[in-house]
Amino acid sequence: MAFTLSGADVCQPTLPTPIPDPYWVAFSSSAAKLIGLEVDDSGLPQDPTWLGLLAGNQLVANNQHFLNPIATAYSGHQFGVWAGQLGDGRAILLGDIAGQELQLKGAGKTHYSRMGDGRAVLRSSIREYLCSEAMHSLGIPTTRALSVVGSDLPIRRETSETAAVCARLAPSFIRIGHFEHFSTQQNIARLKELADLVMKNHYPECMNAESPYLDLVKKISARNASLVAQWQAVGFCHGVLNSDNISALGLTMDYGPFGFMDYFQIDHICNHSDQAGRYSYHRQPQIMHWNIACLASAMLPLLELQEESETAMNLLRSALDEFSDVYTQQWQALFRQKLGFKTTQEDDMKLLERLLQLLHDSRVDFTSFFRGLGNILTHESVEKILLRNHFVNRELIDKWFTDYVLRLKSENSIDEERKLFINKVNPKFILRNHLAQRAIELAQRKDFSEVQKLNAILSKPFDEQLEYAEYADPPTPDLRAIEVSCSS
């Protein structure tokens, strides 16, 4: 639903800055269905005026008019430090279409750009496009990417690159930073207006709760706890879990220096700028919980409208405790499924913890390993399990496989049925950094075929797609050093 708050303290009218000679880089016919946008046989909009709209060069496409675009104000914590007012520095919200907000990322300066140019480059735009759509196909809540429009306009980052505009869709782009913004300003009226808007449009069940604002915190907390459990289950690392990058709807958003783990490392860092490892793989649940605590702190003034201050704080502390319960339950359920278990047994988590340690010690490819579990035949000896060849300590992994097979046998499952089950929860294809980099390098030479091909493969991550088997392979040693930073 459209962002309906108004006023200079909330948002600023912002016209996109046109780019010269725009051209299509990528377009998601899947995301287009969300807004009823019809495409032709080439997979592009039937109406050619959409190119100008999604480039930021015009505000009308066919019968769609977006005459009041805005950039919104928000604040937040960045790398654990209060950063004050931030806002949409390079995102412009065009408006609402079919219940989805349409936002242009990289369409020029806004009131909140500070020292930035408001632009995005082709490299980061392609990465966001591919990952947004890949996450959707994995069944993980996310903002969507409708398109990438390119231009030869030069943009300076570490080197000279070319400009691009990524069009994004979401029911709402409201983030925890919006709540922090008004709370820090002690603007309780605006804070209440924002919370009421979010409840009305996205959490209507909260409006009838005994304590609506407390219930809203719990609901947002639960969605994000479930979200981060889903990230862990596919080895996804966000890279910059600042409070202003956390969705109030529990969506994965603001794709920057993200990465899917290849070779498993419990403390894997995907963001080259994160030298302290604040946002490493194993810390993501803790950091998400910390961000929910930021939300709870921001919402305290609204609870104090109904409760004594101490009572309100105690209620929020209790609500925060529920995050861990939701996360743990979801994480355990997901990893049981990844192991092919349909029942719950007491020692399952001990078995999983042993496995994760062995994966870490031998740097085994996370995605390929879990996918390969479906090939295990319970009547064969452990020595015939090919996955064991990826581990350094054969004695320990053989002991683990022995215990694992016994656990599988306890369910009396049929190998063929279990393989189908495992392959439905363990993807074969993920957006590996080296695959994205190859698509980007070709795109920088005006060859966008690999972006299209990769998007098509990732749209069916659980299918075998034997003709694209090489896209499931982990990177060779020479491709493991690809680094991604906050620069985009």
Side-chain angles (χ1 to χ4, degrees), residues 424-444:
K424 286 181 179 179
V425 296
N426 289 316
K428 180 177 180 178
F429 301 95
I430 57 170
L431 180 60
R432 298 179 185 271
N433 270 342
H434 72 283
L435 298 178
Q437 185 61 29
R438 182 169 65 188
I440 289 167
E441 290 173 357
L442 287 170
Q444 289 171 334

